[in-house]
Amino acid sequence: MTLDSEFRQQTTKLIQETLELYKAAGASPRVGQVWDCKSVGDFLCGFFVGEMVGSALSAFQIVHKREPSGEEHLEIIELVENYSKEIKDFFAKFN
């Protein structure tokens, strides 16, 4: 484990709070049409995961003033993966 505990805590909080915002807001009824996707829930799930990983990587760069190592990058992905069941269960409602 190479990420410092403060960064881990902040990233976990970001994931939790953002997922709660998505749950409260729902999804645009136009997602399938605009993005021409057959499985809206899968599309939104991938979008959310990408958003969380990207936001955490950007935060890492700002906080540490450098790119994350490969190991740090994987740890960031694992932080998001820790919520995979909750994320998948929520977005499956849109399929």
Side-chain angles (χ1 to χ4, degrees):
M1 187 164 49
T2 58
L3 293 176
D4 64 86
S5 62
E6 177 66 25
F7 184 81
R8 292 179 77 79
Q9 284 180 309
Q10 290 299 321
T11 302
T12 298
K13 183 179 176 185
L14 169 73
I15 296 163
Q16 292 169 338
E17 290 178 354
T18 305
L19 185 55
E20 289 306 312
L21 287 171
Y22 271 74
K23 287 178 178 180
S28 167
R30 298 184 322 241
V31 170
Q33 295 170 331
V34 171
W35 297 106
D36 193 27
C37 56
K38 307 262 184 279
S39 178
V40 171
D42 291 346
F43 174 85
L44 291 172
C45 183
F47 180 86
F48 179 84
V49 170
E51 180 182 15
M52 292 300 92
V53 172
S55 294
L57 290 172
S58 294
F60 184 94
Q61 292 170 332
I62 291 167
V63 168
H64 297 289
K65 311 260 190 289
R66 65 177 176 83
E67 296 289 324
S69 68
E71 188 176 349
E72 290 164 330
H73 189 124
L74 289 176
E75 284 185 46
I76 288 170
I77 292 169
E78 287 173 5
L79 290 173
V80 179
E81 288 173 342
N82 288 336
Y83 291 87
S84 63
K85 180 172 178 9
E86 187 176 354
I87 292 167
K88 289 187 298 184
D89 287 350
F90 172 67
F91 288 107
K93 296 188 315 186
F94 300 101
N95 282 338

